[in-house]
Amino acid sequence: MDTNAVLDLMWIVVCGILVFFMQAGFTLVETGFTRSKNTGNIIMKNLMDLCIGSLGFWAIGYTIMYGDSIESFIGNPTLFFDDAENMHNLFFQTVFAATAATIVSGAIAERTKFTTYLIFSLIMTVVIYPISGHWVWQGDGWLTDLGFIDFAGSTVVHSVGGWAALMAALLVGPRLGKYTNGKSNAIPGHNLLIGALGIFILWLGWFGFNAGSQLAISGDNANAVAGIVITTNLAAAAAALTAMFVSWGLYGKPDISMTLNGALAGLVAITAGCAAVSPMGATIIGIIAGVVIVFSIEFIDKKLKIDDPVGAVSVHGVCGALGTLLVGVFATDGGLMYGGGFHQLGVQAIGVLAIGAWAIATSFIVLYTLKKTIGLRVSKEEEVDGLDIHEHKTNVYN
C-alpha cells in the first residue's frame, strides 16, 4: 500500500473515532436538558444505540446501504461484512448510522419504554437509515443520478433522525404536566453544565463528521479538508451567536439552551454543503440556521404542541432540511447566488422531500405498530417517579 493510501485510511479511522465520541456528546446534551430522575435511562439508550448500531450495521445495514445497487433503490444485502480492504469504511459508516438512531432518543426522553426504544433503534440502523442513505452515497442511487448534494449528511443522517424523532414524539405524546389548558409549561433540564459540555464534544466531533467525509487527506484533498473544517466552524459560530441575539430579543435575556442549540443548528445546516460553499456562504447559512432554530423550537412546542425536550426535531429535522436546500443557493458551483439558476435548488428540494417522506412514513409504520403491540409509553407512576428507578432499579445521583 502506498503512503497516500495509508494516509487516507488513517484519516478515515481517526475521523471515525471523533464521530464515535459524538455519542458521549449526545448523551450529555440529552441528560443535561432533561430531569435528573431519567439520567440513567438516557445513558442506557445512547449506549445501546451505539452497541445495537455497531452490530446491526456490520451484520446487514452496511451492505443494504453500500452493496451493489438494485434498481438504484437499495444495496444488495449480504450478511456479516468481512472485506479486509474496507474495514475503515465500515467503521466510519457505522458511527454515522448510530448518530441517526441517537437523534430520536432526545425527542422522546423521560416517557418512553426502554424495550420499545431498543427495537426501534435496531430497525432505524438496519432498514430506515441505510435505504435512504443508499440513494445518495452508494454511487448508483437515484438521487446521486439526479445530482443531489449532501456531502456529510444534513439530510441523509440528521433529517432522517429528525423526522423519525418527530413521528416518535407525536406518537408517544407529551410528558405529564407539559401542557395544561392549552398552554406550554417549561420543564427545565437539571444540569445545563453537562448539556454545554455535550455541545462542545459534538462540535469537536463534527470536524470528524464533515472533514472525514472527504474520505481522503492525501494530495489536494488536504486543502479540501482544511476548507471543510473552516466552513463547519464558521457556520456553528454564526448560528450560536445569531440564536443568542434572537433569544435575547424574544425573551429579554440571552437564553443558554437556545444558544447551545444554535451551535448545533449551524453544524447540522452546514453538513450538506461544507465542501460546496465558501466561508462567507457558510457564515450566512449559520446565521439563517440561528434564526430558524429559535422559531422552530417555539413553533413545535407552542403551536404544534409536540413535546421535544431537547429540540431534536428542530435541530436535526428542520435545520437538516434547511441546510440541504441552501446548498442549492450558496454552492459556488451551480448555486443560485453564483449564476447557476434554480436547477440545483430544485434537485435539493426533491432529495429533501423524498428522504423526509421516507423517514416519516417508515418510522410512523414501525412506531405505530410498536404502540399497538408492546406499547411506547411507560405508566404514569413510572414517569412521575422517574425511569431510572423503574426501568433500571437505580438512581444516577445517590
Side-chain angles (χ1 to χ4, degrees):
M1 192 185 281
D2 70 3
T3 313
N4 282 350
V6 173
L7 259 179
D8 293 341
L9 192 151
M10 190 169 100
W11 175 245
I12 291 170
V13 170
V14 169
C15 286
I17 291 167
L18 282 171
V19 178
F20 174 97
F21 196 51
M22 286 173 73
Q23 289 291 336
F26 281 118
T27 306
L28 289 168
V29 169
E30 204 182 314
T31 49
F33 281 25
T34 53
R35 290 167 293 185
S36 58
K37 63 185 179 181
N38 300 306
T39 298
N41 180 256
I42 289 165
I43 292 168
M44 290 293 283
K45 286 195 298 182
N46 282 273
L47 179 63
M48 286 305 110
D49 280 329
L50 184 62
C51 299
I52 291 168
S54 294
L55 291 165
F57 208 67
W58 160 69
I60 193 167
Y62 182 78
T63 52
I64 286 177
M65 190 158 170
Y66 287 100
D68 294 336
S69 193
I70 302 169
E71 301 296 327
S72 299
F73 181 80
I74 185 173
N76 183 27
T78 55
L79 290 174
F80 308 115
F81 187 78
D82 189 10
D83 172 2
E85 292 183 3
N86 272 299
M87 286 304 171
H88 57 295
N89 289 324
L90 172 65
F91 175 60
F92 191 68
Q93 299 305 333
T94 294
V95 288
F96 270 60
T99 297
T102 291
I103 291 164
V104 180
S105 171
I108 54 172
E110 307 202 277
R111 59 204 192 275
T112 310
K113 278 187 178 176
F114 187 62
T115 44
T116 312
Y117 181 78
L118 296 182
I119 295 166
F120 182 71
S121 179
L122 176 66
I123 294 168
M124 185 78 178
T125 321
V126 301
V127 181
I128 299 174
Y129 167 77
I131 291 177
S132 52
H134 179 88
W135 305 347
V136 183
W137 284 349
Q138 186 266 352
D140 298 315
W142 68 273
L143 281 172
T144 309
D145 295 342
L146 284 181
F148 178 70
I149 299 171
D150 185 1
F151 185 77
S154 286
T155 287
V156 171
V157 180
H158 295 282
S159 272
V160 166
W163 300 136
L166 177 67
M167 289 297 99
L170 192 66
L171 286 166
V172 174
R175 290 168 291 176
L176 296 172
K178 176 63 182 167
Y179 299 105
T180 47
N181 304 324
K183 180 178 163 291
S184 169
N185 304 308
I187 301 177
H190 83 282
N191 193 330
L192 277 179
L193 174 61
I194 61 173
L197 179 59
I199 301 285
F200 280 116
I201 289 171
L202 287 170
W203 194 329
L204 173 75
W206 231 287
F207 296 127
F209 203 95
N210 286 1
S213 293
Q214 181 73 17
L215 302 178
I217 199 170
S218 59
D220 293 340
N221 290 302
N223 287 334
V225 163
I228 291 165
V229 168
I230 291 298
T231 53
T232 301
N233 196 48
L234 288 172
L241 200 62
T242 306
M244 180 187 76
F245 283 122
V246 172
S247 72
W248 209 330
L250 279 180
Y251 315 130
K253 288 279 189 274
D255 187 87
I256 301 169
S257 64
M258 279 293 187
T259 307
L260 292 170
N261 262 335
L264 291 188
L267 289 162
V268 170
I270 196 59
T271 296
C274 57
V277 303
S278 68
M280 181 58 77
T283 306
I284 297 168
I285 288 170
I287 291 167
I288 295 168
V291 174
V292 168
I293 187 64
V294 179
F295 291 106
S296 174
I297 287 173
E298 286 280 315
F299 179 76
I300 288 171
D301 179 28
K302 299 202 164 90
K303 292 287 188 286
L304 298 183
K305 303 271 193 292
I306 294 172
D307 182 14
D308 177 0
V310 301
V313 177
S314 298
V315 168
H316 300 278
V318 174
C319 290
L322 173 76
T324 311
L325 290 171
L326 290 174
V327 177
V329 179
F330 293 106
T332 53
D333 181 13
L336 180 63
M337 301 296 283
Y338 292 84
F342 285 94
H343 173 73
Q344 190 64 49
L345 189 58
V347 171
Q348 297 302 99
I350 291 167
V352 166
L353 290 170
I355 292 178
W358 165 258
I360 285 170
T362 49
S363 56
F364 179 83
I365 291 165
V366 172
L367 288 160
Y368 188 77
T369 307
L370 289 170
K371 184 176 183 173
K372 292 297 176 196
T373 49
I374 59 175
L376 292 179
R377 195 174 178 125
V378 297
S379 70
K380 185 178 177 180
E381 182 200 0
E382 289 171 309
E383 187 178 341
V384 171
D385 294 344
L387 303 189
D388 289 4
I389 205 73
H390 283 282
E391 293 269 29
H392 311 286
K393 276 208 161 76
T394 187
N395 279 315
V396 169
Y397 300 100
N398 291 313

